[in-house]
Amino acid sequence: MTANISNLPSLYDPFTTEARWQKFWEENQVYKADPNQGGEPYCIVIPPPNVTGSLHMGHAFESALIDTLVRYHRMKGRNTLWVPGTDHASIAVHTMLEKQLKKEGKTRYELGREEFLERAWQWKADSEGTIVNQLKRLGVSVDWTRERFTLDEGLSKAVLEAFVSLYESGLIYRGEYLVNWCPASGSAVSDVEVDNQEVDGNLWHFRYPLSDNSGFVEVATTRPETMLGDTAVAVNPNDERYSHLIGKTLTLPIMNREIPIIGDEFVDPTFGTGCVKVTPAHDPNDFEMGKRHNLPLINIMNKDGTLNAQAGEFQGQDRFVARKNVVSRLESEGVLVKVENYKHTVPYSDRGKVPVEPLLSTQWFVKIRPMADQALEFLDGQNSPEFVPQRWTKVYRDWLVKLKDWCISRQLWWGHQIPAWYAVSETGGQITDNTPFVVAKSAAEAWEKAKTQFGENVKLEQDPDVLDTWFSSGLWPFSTLGWPEQTPDLRTYYPNTALVTGFDIIFFWVARMTMMAGHFTGKMPFNDVYIHGLVLDENGQKMSKTKGNGIDPLLLIDKYGTDALRYTLVKEVAGAGQNIRLEYDRKKDESSSVEAARNFANKLWNAARFVMMNLDGQTPQQLGQPLATELSDKWILSRYHQVIKQTSNYIDNYGLGEAAKGLYEFIWGDFCDWYIELVKSRLQKDADPASRKVAQQILAYVLEGILKLLHPLMPHITEEIWQTLTQQPGDSLESLSLQAYPQSDNHLINPDLEAQFELLIGTIRTIRNLRAEADIKPGAKITTNLQTDNPQEQQILTDGRAYIQDLAKVENLTIAGVGEASPAEEPVPEMVEKKPLRGLKTIALIIVLLVFTRIGLATGKAIYEIPLMGRFFEIVGLGYASWFVVQNLLLAEDRQKLLAVFSAPRHPKEILQTELQQPPAPENAIAGVVGTVQVVIPLSGDVVDIATLRAKLEKSLNKAEAEAKSLSGRLSNPKFVDKAPAEVVQGARDSLAEAEKQAEILRDRLRSLT
């Protein structure tokens, strides 16, 4: 490549550009990490997307945030590694495959485990390719040579090591326990995989008769079908209404089973009737009560959500069908008292999307308390890991405190099969709850262990269940780096520097990783946890498949480009951890916010083309380091180094949105809109060579720095421009992403200069706005008067006179104090017409002086006759007269000033300035204020057609007044205000306020033209 502008097309095409650089980065392994490279390590592991998934806006948002951090720290010189990978998603894959099999009229059991797993691996190959290719389209700077999958060989080895180690340490056990069962997926799910949803339901009241026929007790329940498995009714022992019944028995309706009345302080006397049915096999609280009172556990539910033989006549019915039939039967028996509407919380399976069923089942568990306590010690003792924002620390801590034992077995086939082998020869060839087992890392090792215990004829069968997906994901930060082997990657990049993830999986994933890491490595898995928010839709709602309000990021990428979408997502973050809202027009599939980012990319592209067209084919390195000579040069260098400092500080503290906004303002505003415009005249061929060279140097220097600053946010367009600007050869392996990030030079930062230059910019902007308001012809040169009593501001305006005249097209510019006559103001007609009155004023003044002189002489004579006083006043009078002559009469210039005091009238503006902070514009002029500087532009036929302007303003005023009248009428109509939607009424009020304000502005403009 060369810096010839022909290599940079006139229009930026993000699609070919982005594809080219994504291919370049991957083929040349630009982001391959080297643990032997040295330097401070920086490592992030990707939150692995499900292999079944496709890219959604949450992936795009999270990836943009991570890639910004990774690219920034790589350019800062750190030994950087971003590990990519995907998760095998057991339940999701099973759900999809079983739907396919159902369409074929088959079940997985008919297919068999091996063939089912073959299908699963094929699904993985197809789907993983989709998600990986979509991630590549985002331009993420991951090391694809280190891509991992939670079922790959290395991670499977880590899972085996972890399971066996935890089992041998007594932290994994197998036992019967009440678990959350998902009938849809046919598997147990952990507490964190349960989504509690508030629903409108019912509360049914039933009468259970006492066995001695002496009465009854009334119970209330939201799940009537479970009464078939009741084994007791509980009351609070301190409840005087029922304490005398404790120890008696009831006859359970329908089942005719005798059950006891027990006393337990868990019962809330104020809930329902104060009597609670106890179903230990189908409710977690009842399960605990059952253990305390040695109650039998009667399971009435099959794993598919139908009722089993323990449910009697309702066997085979779906749980919700059985609910209706049980209620109907109880009603027919006369024991249904009433049914109430009741809003309550129902636990749903996060994967299966159906209500979970508490089910008694033999499962594998992790004894969580020792691991959670260790994680708490790291948090309380070392504040490790550190959460950003800090408020999530408490959420994380509370979760660790409340954690119960973790059910890790899943009744699925796709996943890590539990490394336990049952001696089925000991239990009739079947795996039962009591079948003995051995835990081992392989079948061979299991055989050796079992042979020792059960003899040579032992028959083994591996546990058919698989481990919870979160078990392998909990090892992700270190298993991806080679654990349990002490690999160079593990030694260099562990602990990870940061984890970037959403707040919704702190419980699912973050806590799992910290507990696993603390136990197996003795360290927390990452130093920082940056918790980001969600991407909300255009109405501020959470995106979900259920609502159907998701926004396809690939659609926006295809329309606006990857950089535009990435930049938008990061720029919208208004503080760490905050949700962002993405503007989106669903009818047109357009986003105004992403379109604005694309416009920003085009602005940078055009600015870069202009700069390179004016560098005479030279690179920034060939032009050399700039030495600022002019005010604008010093200003842009100060702003540039200030922005370097500001951006680095923001990103170092996870203020990514603030960094993006600051760069936008500097690039679009300071560099493109101002500095480039200010130096255009210096780039002409006939300009001063020395000044032209400095302008070229600074343009090239700042442009290259801008590309480096912006690269972490918009990697493709910055790479494309940088390659051309620096004349990289086509076969070069150099990449902008491997260049050093700019460092600020405090010696070049001048806050005072920046503040002063803001006054110049504000003045130019004000003049431009006034020109637009007055419809002054674009090419017309105008006269402008700048007035301020602040000497410092006068000096700033004087120093920047050339900039004001050049950029605001001002031909005659005067800078003076408020009220001072200026060359453009001296020939005032009113002053000429009032000259004949000056003589009369002078005669009147002389008469008044003579009268007062006569009075003064008489008074003086009287004083003079007092002893010593006469001599004193003679001396004083002589002294004052001498001083007055020297000060006011000796020189001609002084005499003219003295005469002016008596003869010159006060200027009208001078009088007004003492009365008003912002004087109105004189007739046929337009005025504005910036700071304490008044900007006045006299209007004349040379620059504007005043009659046409007046007509235009009057037409606009009539329109604004008519709109205000119409809106006011609507808002005064009670029917509109009371019946219209609140947002419509508020919109009308806002429109009325806007119309009234517009009318007021137009009236002010018309008054200035009178």
Side-chain angles (χ1 to χ4, degrees), residues 35 69 113 171 241 260 276 294 302 309 380 406 434 504 529 534 536 583 704 728 737 745 772 783 869 888 914 968:
L69 289 168
R113 187 174 193 125
L171 294 177
R241 295 174 296 173
V276 178
N294 296 315
N302 293 316
D380 295 339
W406 172 18
N434 300 314
D504 49 340
V529 179
L534 303 175
L536 306 179
E583 294 298 330
E704 184 176 17
Q728 297 295 317
S737 53
D745 185 343
T783 294
M869 288 300 291
N888 298 288
T914 63
S968 180

PDB file of all heavy atoms in Angstrom, residues 35 69 113 171 241 260 276 294 302 309 380 406 434 504 529 534 536 583 704 728 737 745 772 783 869 888 914 968:
ATOM      1  N   PRO A  35       3.052 -17.171  25.835  1.00  0.00           N
ATOM      2  CA  PRO A  35       3.346 -17.069  27.273  1.00  0.00           C
ATOM      3  C   PRO A  35       4.802 -16.746  27.568  1.00  0.00           C
ATOM      4  O   PRO A  35       5.129 -16.295  28.673  1.00  0.00           O
ATOM      5  CB  PRO A  35       2.956 -18.449  27.810  1.00  0.00           C
ATOM      6  CG  PRO A  35       3.023 -19.355  26.621  1.00  0.00           C
ATOM      7  CD  PRO A  35       2.631 -18.529  25.443  1.00  0.00           C
ATOM      8  N   LEU A  69     -11.669  -3.725  25.670  1.00  0.00           N
ATOM      9  CA  LEU A  69     -10.686  -3.880  26.741  1.00  0.00           C
ATOM     10  C   LEU A  69      -9.443  -4.622  26.257  1.00  0.00           C
ATOM     11  O   LEU A  69      -8.309  -4.213  26.531  1.00  0.00           O
ATOM     12  CB  LEU A  69     -11.306  -4.637  27.912  1.00  0.00           C
ATOM     13  CG  LEU A  69     -12.367  -3.902  28.733  1.00  0.00           C
ATOM     14  CD1 LEU A  69     -13.077  -4.867  29.661  1.00  0.00           C
ATOM     15  CD2 LEU A  69     -11.743  -2.756  29.515  1.00  0.00           C
ATOM     16  N   ARG A 113     -28.193 -44.677  22.934  1.00  0.00           N
ATOM     17  CA  ARG A 113     -27.293 -43.620  23.369  1.00  0.00           C
ATOM     18  C   ARG A 113     -26.249 -43.265  22.307  1.00  0.00           C
ATOM     19  O   ARG A 113     -26.000 -42.100  22.026  1.00  0.00           O
ATOM     20  CB  ARG A 113     -26.596 -44.037  24.680  1.00  0.00           C
ATOM     21  CG  ARG A 113     -25.772 -42.908  25.294  1.00  0.00           C
ATOM     22  CD  ARG A 113     -25.205 -43.285  26.650  1.00  0.00           C
ATOM     23  NE  ARG A 113     -24.687 -42.108  27.333  1.00  0.00           N
ATOM     24  CZ  ARG A 113     -25.051 -41.701  28.543  1.00  0.00           C
ATOM     25  NH1 ARG A 113     -25.981 -42.378  29.211  1.00  0.00           N
ATOM     26  NH2 ARG A 113     -24.533 -40.625  29.086  1.00  0.00           N
ATOM     27  N   LEU A 171     -16.524 -34.121  49.186  1.00  0.00           N
ATOM     28  CA  LEU A 171     -17.341 -32.968  48.800  1.00  0.00           C
ATOM     29  C   LEU A 171     -18.367 -33.304  47.713  1.00  0.00           C
ATOM     30  O   LEU A 171     -19.173 -32.458  47.337  1.00  0.00           O
ATOM     31  CB  LEU A 171     -16.445 -31.818  48.333  1.00  0.00           C
ATOM     32  CG  LEU A 171     -15.547 -31.217  49.412  1.00  0.00           C
ATOM     33  CD1 LEU A 171     -14.645 -30.131  48.828  1.00  0.00           C
ATOM     34  CD2 LEU A 171     -16.393 -30.643  50.550  1.00  0.00           C
ATOM     35  N   ARG A 241     -55.753 -22.248  68.686  1.00  0.00           N
ATOM     36  CA  ARG A 241     -56.902 -22.821  67.991  1.00  0.00           C
ATOM     37  C   ARG A 241     -56.733 -24.320  67.757  1.00  0.00           C
ATOM     38  O   ARG A 241     -57.727 -25.067  67.688  1.00  0.00           O
ATOM     39  CB  ARG A 241     -57.102 -22.127  66.639  1.00  0.00           C
ATOM     40  CG  ARG A 241     -57.470 -20.663  66.714  1.00  0.00           C
ATOM     41  CD  ARG A 241     -57.482 -20.058  65.314  1.00  0.00           C
ATOM     42  NE  ARG A 241     -56.145 -20.080  64.699  1.00  0.00           N
ATOM     43  CZ  ARG A 241     -55.912 -19.738  63.426  1.00  0.00           C
ATOM     44  NH1 ARG A 241     -56.926 -19.390  62.650  1.00  0.00           N
ATOM     45  NH2 ARG A 241     -54.676 -19.777  62.960  1.00  0.00           N
ATOM     46  N   PRO A 260     -51.223 -38.060  60.699  1.00  0.00           N
ATOM     47  CA  PRO A 260     -51.214 -37.365  61.988  1.00  0.00           C
ATOM     48  C   PRO A 260     -51.296 -35.840  61.845  1.00  0.00           C
ATOM     49  O   PRO A 260     -51.007 -35.279  60.799  1.00  0.00           O
ATOM     50  CB  PRO A 260     -49.857 -37.771  62.570  1.00  0.00           C
ATOM     51  CG  PRO A 260     -48.978 -37.932  61.370  1.00  0.00           C
ATOM     52  CD  PRO A 260     -49.876 -38.507  60.295  1.00  0.00           C
ATOM     53  N   VAL A 276     -51.601 -26.583  57.723  1.00  0.00           N
ATOM     54  CA  VAL A 276     -50.845 -26.781  56.485  1.00  0.00           C
ATOM     55  C   VAL A 276     -50.743 -28.267  56.179  1.00  0.00           C
ATOM     56  O   VAL A 276     -50.329 -29.064  57.030  1.00  0.00           O
ATOM     57  CB  VAL A 276     -49.427 -26.178  56.617  1.00  0.00           C
ATOM     58  CG1 VAL A 276     -48.631 -26.431  55.344  1.00  0.00           C
ATOM     59  CG2 VAL A 276     -49.491 -24.702  56.913  1.00  0.00           C
ATOM     60  N   ASN A 294     -40.042 -37.551  61.088  1.00  0.00           N
ATOM     61  CA  ASN A 294     -39.962 -38.937  60.604  1.00  0.00           C
ATOM     62  C   ASN A 294     -41.215 -39.360  59.827  1.00  0.00           C
ATOM     63  O   ASN A 294     -41.764 -40.459  60.020  1.00  0.00           O
ATOM     64  CB  ASN A 294     -39.727 -39.904  61.771  1.00  0.00           C
ATOM     65  CG  ASN A 294     -38.394 -39.666  62.442  1.00  0.00           C
ATOM     66  OD1 ASN A 294     -37.371 -39.495  61.773  1.00  0.00           O
ATOM     67  ND2 ASN A 294     -38.411 -39.626  63.764  1.00  0.00           N
ATOM     68  N   ASN A 302     -44.626 -39.239  38.234  1.00  0.00           N
ATOM     69  CA  ASN A 302     -43.630 -39.773  37.318  1.00  0.00           C
ATOM     70  C   ASN A 302     -42.742 -38.630  36.826  1.00  0.00           C
ATOM     71  O   ASN A 302     -43.078 -37.451  36.945  1.00  0.00           O
ATOM     72  CB  ASN A 302     -44.313 -40.439  36.110  1.00  0.00           C
ATOM     73  CG  ASN A 302     -45.086 -41.677  36.497  1.00  0.00           C
ATOM     74  OD1 ASN A 302     -44.586 -42.492  37.265  1.00  0.00           O
ATOM     75  ND2 ASN A 302     -46.298 -41.812  35.976  1.00  0.00           N
ATOM     76  N   ALA A 309     -48.663 -44.818  40.229  1.00  0.00           N
ATOM     77  CA  ALA A 309     -49.601 -45.716  40.909  1.00  0.00           C
ATOM     78  C   ALA A 309     -49.940 -45.251  42.315  1.00  0.00           C
ATOM     79  O   ALA A 309     -51.030 -45.565  42.836  1.00  0.00           O
ATOM     80  CB  ALA A 309     -49.019 -47.128  40.949  1.00  0.00           C
ATOM     81  N   ASP A 380     -14.154 -11.325  51.732  1.00  0.00           N
ATOM     82  CA  ASP A 380     -14.123 -10.482  52.934  1.00  0.00           C
ATOM     83  C   ASP A 380     -12.704 -10.095  53.336  1.00  0.00           C
ATOM     84  O   ASP A 380     -12.482  -9.010  53.874  1.00  0.00           O
ATOM     85  CB  ASP A 380     -14.806 -11.210  54.099  1.00  0.00           C
ATOM     86  CG  ASP A 380     -16.291 -11.431  53.843  1.00  0.00           C
ATOM     87  OD1 ASP A 380     -16.857 -10.702  52.999  1.00  0.00           O
ATOM     88  OD2 ASP A 380     -16.885 -12.335  54.464  1.00  0.00           O
ATOM     89  N   TRP A 406     -25.434 -28.477  45.895  1.00  0.00           N
ATOM     90  CA  TRP A 406     -25.654 -28.311  44.463  1.00  0.00           C
ATOM     91  C   TRP A 406     -25.895 -29.672  43.811  1.00  0.00           C
ATOM     92  O   TRP A 406     -25.022 -30.537  43.817  1.00  0.00           O
ATOM     93  CB  TRP A 406     -24.410 -27.614  43.891  1.00  0.00           C
ATOM     94  CG  TRP A 406     -24.300 -27.495  42.417  1.00  0.00           C
ATOM     95  CD1 TRP A 406     -25.279 -27.612  41.480  1.00  0.00           C
ATOM     96  CD2 TRP A 406     -23.095 -27.205  41.689  1.00  0.00           C
ATOM     97  NE1 TRP A 406     -24.777 -27.407  40.216  1.00  0.00           N
ATOM     98  CE2 TRP A 406     -23.438 -27.160  40.314  1.00  0.00           C
ATOM     99  CE3 TRP A 406     -21.781 -26.983  42.070  1.00  0.00           C
ATOM    100  CZ2 TRP A 406     -22.497 -26.905  39.320  1.00  0.00           C
ATOM    101  CZ3 TRP A 406     -20.839 -26.722  41.087  1.00  0.00           C
ATOM    102  CH2 TRP A 406     -21.199 -26.680  39.732  1.00  0.00           C
ATOM    103  N   ASN A 434     -29.618 -48.350  45.886  1.00  0.00           N
ATOM    104  CA  ASN A 434     -28.703 -48.989  46.835  1.00  0.00           C
ATOM    105  C   ASN A 434     -27.567 -49.744  46.161  1.00  0.00           C
ATOM    106  O   ASN A 434     -26.790 -50.425  46.836  1.00  0.00           O
ATOM    107  CB  ASN A 434     -29.489 -49.952  47.734  1.00  0.00           C
ATOM    108  CG  ASN A 434     -30.562 -49.244  48.534  1.00  0.00           C
ATOM    109  OD1 ASN A 434     -30.302 -48.193  49.116  1.00  0.00           O
ATOM    110  ND2 ASN A 434     -31.771 -49.806  48.548  1.00  0.00           N
ATOM    111  N   ASP A 504     -27.160 -11.274  35.120  1.00  0.00           N
ATOM    112  CA  ASP A 504     -28.124 -12.355  35.250  1.00  0.00           C
ATOM    113  C   ASP A 504     -27.481 -13.723  35.453  1.00  0.00           C
ATOM    114  O   ASP A 504     -28.203 -14.696  35.703  1.00  0.00           O
ATOM    115  CB  ASP A 504     -29.049 -12.391  34.029  1.00  0.00           C
ATOM    116  CG  ASP A 504     -28.293 -12.343  32.710  1.00  0.00           C
ATOM    117  OD1 ASP A 504     -27.131 -11.921  32.712  1.00  0.00           O
ATOM    118  OD2 ASP A 504     -28.888 -12.721  31.685  1.00  0.00           O
ATOM    119  N   VAL A 529     -14.405  -8.384  38.172  1.00  0.00           N
ATOM    120  CA  VAL A 529     -15.631  -8.866  37.519  1.00  0.00           C
ATOM    121  C   VAL A 529     -16.400  -7.625  37.075  1.00  0.00           C
ATOM    122  O   VAL A 529     -16.938  -6.894  37.910  1.00  0.00           O
ATOM    123  CB  VAL A 529     -16.498  -9.711  38.466  1.00  0.00           C
ATOM    124  CG1 VAL A 529     -17.764 -10.173  37.736  1.00  0.00           C
ATOM    125  CG2 VAL A 529     -15.722 -10.900  38.986  1.00  0.00           C
ATOM    126  N   LEU A 534     -28.091  -4.901  30.331  1.00  0.00           N
ATOM    127  CA  LEU A 534     -28.753  -5.547  29.205  1.00  0.00           C
ATOM    128  C   LEU A 534     -28.958  -4.549  28.075  1.00  0.00           C
ATOM    129  O   LEU A 534     -28.967  -3.340  28.292  1.00  0.00           O
ATOM    130  CB  LEU A 534     -30.121  -6.089  29.638  1.00  0.00           C
ATOM    131  CG  LEU A 534     -30.144  -7.080  30.808  1.00  0.00           C
ATOM    132  CD1 LEU A 534     -31.586  -7.419  31.174  1.00  0.00           C
ATOM    133  CD2 LEU A 534     -29.373  -8.347  30.468  1.00  0.00           C
ATOM    134  N   LEU A 536     -31.677  -3.105  25.934  1.00  0.00           N
ATOM    135  CA  LEU A 536     -33.134  -3.009  25.903  1.00  0.00           C
ATOM    136  C   LEU A 536     -33.606  -2.598  24.519  1.00  0.00           C
ATOM    137  O   LEU A 536     -32.862  -1.990  23.750  1.00  0.00           O
ATOM    138  CB  LEU A 536     -33.607  -1.989  26.943  1.00  0.00           C
ATOM    139  CG  LEU A 536     -33.106  -2.210  28.376  1.00  0.00           C
ATOM    140  CD1 LEU A 536     -33.635  -1.116  29.291  1.00  0.00           C
ATOM    141  CD2 LEU A 536     -33.518  -3.579  28.896  1.00  0.00           C
ATOM    142  N   GLU A 583     -32.155   2.352  19.846  1.00  0.00           N
ATOM    143  CA  GLU A 583     -33.226   2.863  18.993  1.00  0.00           C
ATOM    144  C   GLU A 583     -33.388   1.947  17.776  1.00  0.00           C
ATOM    145  O   GLU A 583     -32.397   1.551  17.161  1.00  0.00           O
ATOM    146  CB  GLU A 583     -32.908   4.289  18.546  1.00  0.00           C
ATOM    147  CG  GLU A 583     -32.892   5.308  19.675  1.00  0.00           C
ATOM    148  CD  GLU A 583     -34.234   5.435  20.372  1.00  0.00           C
ATOM    149  OE1 GLU A 583     -35.274   5.209  19.699  1.00  0.00           O
ATOM    150  OE2 GLU A 583     -34.263   5.742  21.572  1.00  0.00           O
ATOM    151  N   GLU A 704      -2.912   9.994  13.068  1.00  0.00           N
ATOM    152  CA  GLU A 704      -2.434   8.662  13.436  1.00  0.00           C
ATOM    153  C   GLU A 704      -2.773   8.355  14.886  1.00  0.00           C
ATOM    154  O   GLU A 704      -3.168   7.234  15.231  1.00  0.00           O
ATOM    155  CB  GLU A 704      -0.931   8.527  13.210  1.00  0.00           C
ATOM    156  CG  GLU A 704      -0.446   7.110  13.499  1.00  0.00           C
ATOM    157  CD  GLU A 704       1.030   6.891  13.205  1.00  0.00           C
ATOM    158  OE1 GLU A 704       1.777   7.879  13.089  1.00  0.00           O
ATOM    159  OE2 GLU A 704       1.442   5.721  13.098  1.00  0.00           O
ATOM    160  N   GLN A 728       1.922   1.029   4.608  1.00  0.00           N
ATOM    161  CA  GLN A 728       2.328  -0.343   4.868  1.00  0.00           C
ATOM    162  C   GLN A 728       2.304  -1.137   3.559  1.00  0.00           C
ATOM    163  O   GLN A 728       1.347  -1.029   2.789  1.00  0.00           O
ATOM    164  CB  GLN A 728       1.390  -1.001   5.877  1.00  0.00           C
ATOM    165  CG  GLN A 728       1.410  -0.347   7.250  1.00  0.00           C
ATOM    166  CD  GLN A 728       2.748  -0.497   7.941  1.00  0.00           C
ATOM    167  OE1 GLN A 728       3.355  -1.559   7.911  1.00  0.00           O
ATOM    168  NE2 GLN A 728       3.226   0.579   8.549  1.00  0.00           N
ATOM    169  N   SER A 737      -3.405  -2.918  15.395  1.00  0.00           N
ATOM    170  CA  SER A 737      -3.742  -3.463  16.704  1.00  0.00           C
ATOM    171  C   SER A 737      -2.519  -3.854  17.517  1.00  0.00           C
ATOM    172  O   SER A 737      -2.625  -4.087  18.722  1.00  0.00           O
ATOM    173  CB  SER A 737      -4.661  -4.672  16.553  1.00  0.00           C
ATOM    174  OG  SER A 737      -4.107  -5.615  15.674  1.00  0.00           O
ATOM    175  N   ASP A 745       1.397  13.615  26.967  1.00  0.00           N
ATOM    176  CA  ASP A 745       2.539  14.437  27.366  1.00  0.00           C
ATOM    177  C   ASP A 745       1.979  15.630  28.131  1.00  0.00           C
ATOM    178  O   ASP A 745       1.384  16.546  27.550  1.00  0.00           O
ATOM    179  CB  ASP A 745       3.306  14.906  26.126  1.00  0.00           C
ATOM    180  CG  ASP A 745       4.573  15.677  26.487  1.00  0.00           C
ATOM    181  OD1 ASP A 745       4.695  16.123  27.645  1.00  0.00           O
ATOM    182  OD2 ASP A 745       5.435  15.851  25.600  1.00  0.00           O
ATOM    183  N   ALA A 772     -26.932  32.313   9.880  1.00  0.00           N
ATOM    184  CA  ALA A 772     -27.993  31.401   9.444  1.00  0.00           C
ATOM    185  C   ALA A 772     -29.368  31.947   9.808  1.00  0.00           C
ATOM    186  O   ALA A 772     -30.312  31.879   9.008  1.00  0.00           O
ATOM    187  CB  ALA A 772     -27.789  30.026  10.080  1.00  0.00           C
ATOM    188  N   THR A 783     -19.673  42.467   8.271  1.00  0.00           N
ATOM    189  CA  THR A 783     -19.052  43.279   9.321  1.00  0.00           C
ATOM    190  C   THR A 783     -19.533  42.753  10.661  1.00  0.00           C
ATOM    191  O   THR A 783     -20.717  42.456  10.817  1.00  0.00           O
ATOM    192  CB  THR A 783     -19.441  44.754   9.172  1.00  0.00           C
ATOM    193  OG1 THR A 783     -18.878  45.261   7.965  1.00  0.00           O
ATOM    194  CG2 THR A 783     -18.929  45.579  10.355  1.00  0.00           C
ATOM    195  N   MET A 869      -7.451  80.956  57.930  1.00  0.00           N
ATOM    196  CA  MET A 869      -8.171  80.170  56.930  1.00  0.00           C
ATOM    197  C   MET A 869      -7.947  80.700  55.537  1.00  0.00           C
ATOM    198  O   MET A 869      -7.837  79.944  54.562  1.00  0.00           O
ATOM    199  CB  MET A 869      -9.681  80.161  57.244  1.00  0.00           C
ATOM    200  CG  MET A 869     -10.050  79.327  58.459  1.00  0.00           C
ATOM    201  SD  MET A 869      -9.591  77.589  58.261  1.00  0.00           S
ATOM    202  CE  MET A 869     -10.750  77.115  57.007  1.00  0.00           C
ATOM    203  N   ASN A 888      -4.616  68.401  32.556  1.00  0.00           N
ATOM    204  CA  ASN A 888      -5.666  68.554  31.546  1.00  0.00           C
ATOM    205  C   ASN A 888      -5.413  69.616  30.482  1.00  0.00           C
ATOM    206  O   ASN A 888      -6.079  69.586  29.433  1.00  0.00           O
ATOM    207  CB  ASN A 888      -6.992  68.878  32.235  1.00  0.00           C
ATOM    208  CG  ASN A 888      -7.441  67.766  33.160  1.00  0.00           C
ATOM    209  OD1 ASN A 888      -7.860  66.712  32.723  1.00  0.00           O
ATOM    210  ND2 ASN A 888      -7.333  67.999  34.469  1.00  0.00           N
ATOM    211  N   THR A 914     -25.337  49.830  31.203  1.00  0.00           N
ATOM    212  CA  THR A 914     -25.396  49.986  32.655  1.00  0.00           C
ATOM    213  C   THR A 914     -26.730  49.497  33.212  1.00  0.00           C
ATOM    214  O   THR A 914     -26.869  49.305  34.402  1.00  0.00           O
ATOM    215  CB  THR A 914     -25.198  51.464  33.038  1.00  0.00           C
ATOM    216  OG1 THR A 914     -26.286  52.223  32.482  1.00  0.00           O
ATOM    217  CG2 THR A 914     -23.881  51.983  32.515  1.00  0.00           C
ATOM    218  N   SER A 968     -53.175  24.388  22.342  1.00  0.00           N
ATOM    219  CA  SER A 968     -53.777  24.932  23.554  1.00  0.00           C
ATOM    220  C   SER A 968     -55.253  24.573  23.623  1.00  0.00           C
ATOM    221  O   SER A 968     -55.784  24.243  24.685  1.00  0.00           O
ATOM    222  CB  SER A 968     -53.592  26.454  23.589  1.00  0.00           C
ATOM    223  OG  SER A 968     -54.162  26.993  24.755  1.00  0.00           O
TER     224      SER A 968
END
